[in-house]
């Protein structure tokens, strides 16, 4: 009888909590050892030995404890391990000199042996398919190192290090009692007791350890776990020595490494399932090589003999740069730990405790040897960064060794005619790799079977996958719009902080992001089908950090040349380009009946980024959000009023969210195999007449939305200088974005063509309202009419954004059926979806030029005529032409969408029914 779900969860979560407490005890010397070093006057080598001694005990004992867990059950062994460690930790308070501290530290190390016990106990509660995730969650108990760094300094400063030892011992003893009372014996032990079977002998349990691959495989764990433990112990001392932090602050900063290096281990098993254990290991080693190299560089002063004399400069890493780099290193270490342990229950299902024990032993030895080596290197070289020299060497050798071994394995397989799919993920496992393990750890790759039009498929997994990708895409797109439009806020403040730019120059800065963004969209619209939506969304989101950081640095100095601002404004186009790829990607995931709604949500909530930047940026620049890290403030003078601004925060404030969203895209989104297509495959859209017609119409809706968003703050400031336009500017994009998100379902039910016709009529009325307001300049009602008319324009354009995009898939379903009669119904669906996605991306590219032409039109109109009326009359004529085009081609009787939107569907538009299968990932 399989174990109940409640018993499984109780065993997993209580084991994880217990391991967290054990790990907190195991790394206790990372904090109290600093005070003991000062009290006893220890050298760095002696300090390294002291903090590493518990790691030695915990590592060596893992093998025996793991075997005992397999023999006698993890529940009893786990409890006794915790009680023993609690007694030894309490006795630590009685130590009085260096030898007694080393002796007590040996006993404290028993807590570290709990890992192999927990691995054996948890693995037996879950089937092989779920053991990777379960062990990943359990392994996240490494976060206990962060618990010690957070809590121990506070207690130690207030009551002394002896109190820390007693409190940690008491908590561990209490956890042992709770664990024993609320867990059950593992199913394997229960079955053996039921039939009266005796446990296997110690010698039988040790049998797998004769295989050399177990020991070679363990060396990977020496870095991903051993180096983690070593750094967890060493970082507080390092931070105090390099950056002069006090013990409490050093503990907090050290936790910035321990937390990601622990909790993300729970996700590492899932990533190994999804992308393959080998790929996770490659990423772990490659990123670690880069991080340790950067951390290895000591502060250095340079003197270069230049043409006009010596040129001196220095290079050093600040505290925040160190924290970010160590955070990234810890994150990828956590993924590597999970990838290593994912192999054990697959290759040694009956020896999890023994094999897990020896792998943990070798990894734990790294936590013992490395702190001693760190201390010795400090004493020998006198350079704090020498610890990272050693880590760089270790991980570089591991990466090269693994890569060479993988290539040799693949070459031998090719010579022997063995398919790559039959190979293990890591070469070390070849001697024990068989049919049972083939494919168990390989990447699942992109989704190969994706049929959203099949209702059975859609209801049983398809919708959940599509929605997950949609809701990860939304914040990425929102940030893209925020970065794209950030200059619309910043340009209005530049003159006040000392930048002597003319109105024409300011309008150029507001316009150029639109020009570059629109141009990039032409390219970006084809990228998801070439590279895959997941990869491209990740890369394009990361790219937003470049203009966000660049602008933040540039605005801090009024002497910054204007050409640098022009370059940064062009780089903000990265955000504008992302829209095309995002919409093209999301359109693949949803059936025709829900495409309009899905695209409206993605685009509408993404468009909120314009409103967000115009609401958040004015607030962020008024406060020191990032403290000293964000740079010095600027003094802004408007009239006779002087205020303090941190204009750089307009860019900096979005960087943390960019990082989080990029990680979410990489680890949470999917690729669809049938979505892949070359540029040549997609270039067929340039022969489709309706591609160019929809470019014209979408420029009327989205081009207006984004153009007005870029121009409205500066236009209002020029026309109504007595009004603080920035306080209201965010409302226009907000109304437009929400209107777009809300219009999706009505467009699906009423028809995009009919709604688009009404939209252009409404936008024409909105322009007339703006002209009336400007004609009443000087009257009290002028600005309210002006503002209300623009809000009306934003709302109408938002609805039009949704309706025009809803039209494109419907148009292409009819056009492909007409132009490609030889295709099967299923082929026509795939081809029309592929073309519709490319057209959605391409039309968004052309329409985005509105972000350049509308602000530039206003600027040129004011420069040439002294007013904005000329530009507005041009916009009115354009909207009337869009209304006529929509009626003639799509909504009149005989138009392409007339019958569809009035319920008389063509026979070729019926959904394609296919055999029901669930999505394969």
């Amino acid at each position: 009888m399989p174990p109940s779900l409640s018993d499984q969860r109780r065993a997993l979560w209580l084991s994880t909590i217990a391991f967290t407490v054990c790990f907190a005890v195991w790394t206790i010397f990372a904090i109290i050892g600093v005070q003991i070093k000062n009290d006893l006057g220890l050298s760095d080598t002696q300090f390294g030995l002291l903090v590493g001694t518990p790691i030695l005990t915990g590592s060596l004992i893992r093998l025996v404890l793991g075997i005992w867990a397999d023999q006698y059950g993890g529940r009893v062994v786990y409890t006794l391990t915790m009680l023993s460690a609690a007694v030894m930790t309490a006795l630590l308070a009685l130590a009085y000199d260096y030898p007694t501290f080393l002796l007590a530290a040996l006993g404290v190390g028993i807590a570290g042996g709990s890992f192999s016990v927990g691995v054996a106990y948890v693995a037996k509660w879950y089937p092989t398919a779920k053991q990777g995730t379960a062990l990943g969650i359990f392994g996240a108990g490494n976060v206990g190192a962060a618990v010690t760094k957070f809590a121990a300094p506070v207690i130690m400063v207030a009551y002394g290090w002896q109190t820390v030892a007693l409190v940690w011992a008491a908590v561990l003893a209490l956890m042992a009692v709770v664990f024993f009372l609320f867990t059950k014996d593992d199913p394997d032990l229960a079955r053996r007791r039921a039939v009266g079977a005796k446990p296997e002998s110690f010698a039988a349990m040790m049998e797998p350890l004769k295989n050399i691959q177990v020991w070679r495989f363990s060396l990977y764990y020496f870095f991903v776990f051993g180096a983690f433990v070593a750094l967890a112990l060493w970082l507080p001392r390092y931070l105090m020595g390099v950056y002069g932090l006090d013990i409490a602050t050093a503990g907090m900063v050290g936790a910035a490494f321990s937390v990601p290096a622990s909790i993300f281990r729970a996700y590492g098993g899932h990533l190994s399932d999804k992308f393959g254990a080998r790929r996770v290991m490659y990423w772990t080693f490659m990123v670690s090589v880069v991080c340790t190299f950067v951390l290895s560089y000591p502060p250095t002063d340079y003197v270069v003999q230049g043409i006009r004399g010596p040129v001196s400069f220095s290079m050093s890493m600040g505290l925040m740069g160190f924290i970010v780099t160590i955070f990234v290193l810890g994150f990828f270490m956590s993924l590597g730990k999970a990838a290593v342990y994912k192999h054990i229950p697959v290759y040694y299902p009956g020896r999890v405790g023994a094999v897990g024990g020896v792998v943990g032993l070798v990894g734990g030895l790294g936590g013992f040897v490395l702190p001693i080596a760190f201390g010795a290197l400090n004493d020998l070289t006198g350079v704090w960064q020498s610890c990272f020299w050693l880590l760089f060497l270790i991980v570089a050798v591991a990466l090269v060794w693994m890569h060479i071994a993988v290539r040799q394995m693949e070459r031998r397989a090719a010579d022997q005619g063995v398919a790559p799919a039959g190979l293990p993920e890591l070469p070390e496992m070849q001697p024990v790799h068989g049919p049972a393990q083939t494919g168990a750890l390989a990447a699942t790759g992109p989704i190969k079977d994706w049929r959203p039009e099949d209702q059975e498929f859609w209801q049983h997994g398809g919708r959940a996958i599509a929605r997950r990708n949609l809701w990860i895409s939304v914040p990425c797109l929102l940030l893209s719009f925020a970065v794209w439009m950030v200059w619309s806020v910043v340009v209005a403040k530049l003159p006040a902080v000392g930048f002597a730019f003319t109105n024409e120059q300011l309008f150029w800065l507001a316009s150029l992001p639109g020009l570059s963004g629109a141009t990039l969209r032409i390219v970006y619209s084809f990228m998801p089908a070439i590279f895959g939506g997941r990869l491209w969304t990740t890369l394009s989101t990361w790219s937003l950090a470049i203009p966000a950081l660049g602008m933040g640095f540039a605005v801090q100095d009024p002497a910054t040349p204007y050409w640098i601002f022009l370059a940064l404004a062009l780089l903000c186009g990265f955000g504008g380009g992302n829209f095309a790829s995002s919409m093209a990607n999301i359109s693949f995931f949803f059936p025709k009946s829900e495409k309009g709604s899905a695209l409206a949500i993605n685009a509408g909530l993404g468009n909120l980024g314009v409103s967000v930047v115009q609401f958040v940026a004015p607030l962020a620049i008024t406060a020191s959000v990032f403290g000293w890290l964000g740079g010095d403030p600027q003094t802004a003078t408007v009239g006779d009023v002087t205020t303090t601004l941190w204009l750089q925060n307009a860019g900096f404030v979005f960087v943390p969210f960019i990082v989080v969203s990029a990680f979410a895209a990489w680890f949470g989104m999917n690729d669809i195999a049938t979505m892949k297509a070359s540029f040549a495959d997609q270039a067929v859209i340039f022969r489709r007449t309706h591609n160019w017609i929809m470019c014209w119409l979408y420029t009327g809706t989205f081009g207006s939305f984004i153009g007005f968003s870029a121009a409205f703050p500066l236009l209002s400031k020029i026309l109504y200088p007595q009004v603080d336009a920035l306080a209201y500017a965010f409302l226009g994009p907000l109304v437009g974005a929400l209107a777009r998100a809300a219009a999706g379902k009505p467009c699906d039910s009423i028809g995009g063509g009919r709604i688009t016709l009404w939209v252009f009529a409404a936008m024409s009325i909105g322009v007339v309202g703006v002209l009336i307001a400007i004609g009443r300049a000087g009257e009290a009602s002028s600005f309210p009419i002006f503002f209300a008319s623009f809000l009306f324009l934003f709302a109408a354009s938002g609805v039009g954004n949704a309706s025009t995009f809803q039209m494109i898939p419907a148009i292409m379903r009819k056009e492909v059926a007409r132009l490609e009669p030889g295709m099967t119904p299923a082929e026509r669906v795939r081809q029309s979806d592929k073309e519709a996605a490319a057209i959605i991306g391409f039309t968004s590219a052309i329409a985005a030029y509105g972000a350049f032409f509308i602000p530039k039109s206003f600027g040129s109109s004011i420069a040439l005529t002294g007013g904005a009326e000329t530009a507005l009359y041009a916009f009115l004529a354009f909207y009337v032409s869009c209304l006529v085009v929509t009626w003639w081609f799509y909504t009149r009787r005989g138009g392409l969408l007339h019958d569809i939107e009035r319920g008389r569907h063509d026979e070729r538009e019926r959904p394609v029914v296919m055999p029901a299968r669930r999505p394969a990932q």
Side-chain angles (χ1 to χ4, degrees):
M1 181 178 178
S4 68
L5 185 61
S6 62
D7 288 343
Q8 282 182 330
R9 289 177 175 174
R10 190 181 303 114
L12 173 60
W13 291 108
L14 284 176
S15 295
T16 303
I17 296 170
F19 181 50
T20 302
V21 177
C22 287
F23 214 91
V25 171
W26 198 33
T27 56
I28 192 172
F29 279 97
I31 299 300
I32 69 172
V34 176
Q35 185 61 49
I36 294 170
K37 178 184 184 298
N38 294 335
D39 292 345
L40 300 180
L42 305 180
S43 68
D44 279 335
T45 303
Q46 289 175 313
F47 174 73
L49 179 61
L50 176 64
V51 299
T53 296
I55 311 305
L56 176 63
T57 309
S59 303
L60 295 178
I61 203 174
R62 284 182 171 189
L63 177 58
V64 174
L65 290 179
I67 292 174
W68 285 350
D70 279 338
Q71 288 180 314
Y72 308 114
R75 178 167 170 255
V76 172
V77 177
Y78 210 159
T79 303
L80 293 176
T81 300
M82 286 189 280
L83 290 174
S84 302
V87 172
M88 299 308 296
T89 304
L91 292 176
L92 177 63
L94 302 178
Y96 56 88
D97 61 6
Y98 190 58
T100 56
F101 274 111
L102 289 177
L103 183 62
L106 286 171
V108 172
I110 295 173
S114 61
F115 177 71
S116 59
V117 182
V119 166
Y121 180 68
V122 170
K124 292 175 181 177
W125 283 97
Y126 287 87
T128 302
K130 296 183 178 180
Q131 283 174 337
T133 301
L135 293 179
I137 293 172
F138 170 75
N142 291 164
V143 79
V147 173
T148 289
K149 291 185 179 68
F150 274 123
V154 178
I155 298 174
M156 187 174 74
V157 170
Y159 303 105
W161 66 263
Q162 294 89 346
T163 303
V164 176
L166 294 174
V167 170
W168 264 229
V171 173
L172 185 56
L174 177 62
M175 187 67 238
V177 174
V178 171
F179 178 83
F180 185 78
L181 293 177
F182 291 96
T183 57
K184 296 180 179 180
D185 290 329
D186 62 77
D188 182 61
L189 180 64
R191 280 191 295 270
R192 281 195 280 120
R193 284 179 174 172
V195 297
K198 293 183 178 181
E200 291 187 85
S201 67
F202 196 89
M205 289 287 182
M206 295 285 285
E207 190 68 27
L209 307 189
K210 296 179 181 178
N211 298 326
I212 189 65
Q213 75 271 7
V214 172
W215 298 93
R216 289 181 61 192
F217 182 63
S218 301
L219 292 180
Y220 293 131
Y221 205 60
F222 182 87
F223 175 77
V224 293
F225 179 74
F228 156 71
V229 174
L231 285 174
L233 296 170
W234 189 254
L235 277 179
R237 168 77 178 130
Y238 181 91
L239 291 163
M240 293 171 69
V242 176
Y243 297 105
L245 303 182
D246 59 71
I247 183 63
T249 307
M252 294 292 183
V253 175
F257 168 76
S258 299
V259 170
S262 304
I263 60 175
F264 287 107
R265 182 170 181 164
Y267 198 47
H270 168 70
L271 295 180
S272 296
D273 287 340
K274 188 173 182 180
F275 305 117
R278 183 192 303 171
R279 182 178 295 183
V280 173
M281 291 301 295
Y282 263 116
W283 274 103
T284 295
F285 287 150
M286 287 190 296
V287 173
S288 297
V289 164
V290 174
C291 289
T292 53
F293 178 80
V294 171
L295 293 167
S296 295
Y297 210 87
T300 309
D301 295 323
Y302 294 90
V303 178
V304 178
Q305 298 302 321
I307 298 173
R308 287 179 290 273
V311 179
S312 62
F313 61 95
S314 61
M315 292 182 62
S316 62
M317 174 173 282
L319 177 60
M320 186 51 64
F322 179 85
I323 293 173
V324 171
T325 307
I326 208 74
F327 180 98
V328 174
L329 178 62
F331 173 79
F332 279 93
M333 278 181 162
S334 71
L335 303 187
K337 285 184 283 188
V340 169
Y341 259 86
K342 173 69 177 169
H343 287 73
I344 295 174
V346 173
Y347 284 96
Y348 301 100
R351 300 289 187 272
V352 174
V355 177
V358 75
V359 171
L361 184 153
V362 173
L365 284 177
F368 167 70
V369 173
L370 290 175
I372 299 174
F374 293 166
L377 284 171
N378 266 16
D379 290 337
L380 290 171
T381 66
V383 178
W384 280 105
Q385 287 74 22
S386 58
C387 60
F388 293 107
W389 300 350
L390 179 58
L391 293 182
F392 172 76
L393 179 64
I394 292 171
V395 71
V397 170
L399 175 60
V400 172
W401 180 32
M402 184 179 78
H403 181 66
I404 291 175
V406 168
R407 297 300 297 156
Q408 288 177 341
M409 175 181 70
E410 292 176 339
R411 278 195 292 268
R412 285 195 299 269
D415 293 341
Q416 298 168 4
V418 177
L423 299 174
E425 287 288 284
L426 296 176
E428 288 73 21
M429 312 314 292
Q430 278 184 286
V432 291
H433 186 72
Q437 290 81 29
T438 299
L441 297 171
T444 55
I447 300 175
K448 298 176 178 63
D449 179 26
W450 189 252
R451 293 170 288 106
E453 299 295 345
D454 182 342
Q455 286 300 309
E456 182 70 16
F457 174 95
W458 184 245
Q459 295 296 334
H460 293 86
R463 175 182 277 122
I465 294 171
R467 287 182 174 176
R468 185 182 68 246
N469 281 268
L470 171 62
W471 290 113
I472 293 175
S473 174
V474 164
C476 293
L477 188 55
L478 185 148
L479 289 166
S480 298
F481 272 93
V483 171
W484 193 24
M485 289 291 106
V486 69
W487 283 107
S488 68
V489 176
V490 173
V491 291
K493 292 293 184 180
L494 288 177
V497 297
F499 289 92
F501 298 153
T502 65
N503 281 341
E504 183 72 5
Q505 287 177 312
L506 294 176
F507 268 115
W508 269 107
L509 290 178
S511 304
L512 282 179
L515 180 63
S516 60
T519 304
L520 285 174
R521 283 188 177 193
I522 297 174
V523 179
Y524 277 37
S525 60
F526 302 103
M527 293 298 105
I530 296 174
F531 293 102
R534 170 179 151 266
L535 173 60
W536 188 253
T537 302
T538 303
L539 294 177
S540 60
T541 302
W542 273 118
S543 72
L544 303 176
I546 299 173
L549 290 170
M551 189 203 71
F553 292 121
V555 298
Q556 296 184 54
D557 185 2
T560 304
Y562 181 64
W563 69 265
I564 290 181
F565 283 91
L566 292 177
L568 289 169
L570 286 170
L571 287 175
C572 283
F574 286 153
N578 287 0
F579 180 81
S581 55
S582 178
M583 296 298 283
N585 180 47
I586 291 301
S587 70
F588 275 97
F589 282 92
F590 288 84
K592 179 181 173 240
S593 60
E594 297 185 30
K595 268 192 203 297
S597 179
L599 292 175
I601 290 172
N602 189 53
L605 298 184
N607 290 168
L608 273 177
V610 182
S611 184
V612 166
V613 74
Q614 293 180 351
F615 178 77
V616 171
L619 296 178
I621 65 177
T622 62
S624 180
V625 178
F626 298 100
W628 60 268
L629 179 66
D632 296 328
Q634 304 96 35
T635 299
T637 303
V638 179
D640 296 328
V641 180
T642 300
T643 56
T644 300
L645 295 179
W646 286 263
L647 199 56
Q648 61 268 32
N649 288 351
F652 289 164
V653 73
F654 295 106
V655 173
F657 300 100
I658 290 170
V659 173
V660 171
S661 297
F663 274 117
W666 177 253
F667 294 117
M669 296 187 77
N670 298 95
D671 286 325
I672 299 175
T674 56
M675 174 177 156
K676 289 294 185 76
S678 67
F679 176 80
D681 294 333
Q682 300 174 80
V684 67
I685 67 170
F686 298 123
R687 302 198 302 269
R688 305 304 194 203
T689 302
H690 293 282
N691 173 46
W692 302 104
I693 296 174
M694 293 309 299
C695 284
W696 186 264
L697 298 184
Y698 195 58
T699 300
T701 57
F702 179 77
S704 299
F705 169 82
I706 202 64
F708 290 145
S709 297
F712 181 72
L714 191 55
L715 180 65
S716 301
K717 184 176 182 297
I718 293 172
L719 297 181
Y720 300 94
Q722 74 280 8
V723 178
D724 182 12
L726 280 182
Y728 307 100
F730 75 94
L731 289 174
L734 175 64
V735 167
L738 294 178
R740 180 171 194 163
K745 285 189 177 297
C747 290
D748 282 334
S749 58
I750 298 173
R754 298 166 71 186
I755 291 181
T756 300
L757 190 72
W758 303 336
V759 160
F760 286 123
M763 293 184 73
S764 301
I765 296 170
V767 172
V768 172
V770 176
L771 286 167
I772 292 172
I774 295 176
R776 295 187 177 185
E779 298 180 17
S781 62
S782 179
F783 182 75
I785 296 175
F786 175 85
F787 185 63
S789 297
F790 260 106
L791 285 183
F792 186 72
L793 279 169
F794 275 113
S797 66
V799 174
N801 291 338
S803 62
T804 47
F805 266 10
Q806 193 277 342
M807 293 167 64
I808 293 173
I811 291 169
M812 295 318 298
R813 287 287 173 89
K814 292 204 71 172
E815 281 294 280
V816 169
R818 180 178 67 84
L819 296 171
E820 307 289 349
M823 288 185 174
T824 65
E827 290 172 339
R828 287 202 299 265
V829 169
R830 284 193 291 270
Q831 181 64 24
S832 64
D833 283 352
K834 194 173 294 185
E835 290 190 26
I839 291 174
I840 284 171
F842 184 73
T843 56
S844 74
I846 300 302
Y849 281 107
F852 169 74
F853 285 111
I854 287 182
K856 194 68 184 69
S857 297
F858 280 129
S860 299
S861 179
I862 292 171
L864 294 174
T865 68
E869 290 87 344
T870 302
L872 288 165
Y873 280 118
F875 300 154
L876 177 60
F878 177 65
Y879 296 148
V880 171
S881 75
C882 290
L883 187 150
V884 172
V885 167
T886 304
W887 175 80
W888 178 257
F889 285 99
Y890 302 116
T891 62
R892 68 179 177 88
R893 187 176 297 277
L896 191 65
L897 300 179
H898 180 272
D899 290 345
I900 294 176
E901 295 186 351
R902 283 162 177 77
R904 294 191 293 274
H905 295 268
D906 191 284
E907 189 71 21
R908 291 168 294 189
E909 283 295 306
R910 291 182 179 174
V912 178
V913 180
M914 303 179 189
R917 286 162 55 201
R918 301 193 177 195
Q921 296 187 58

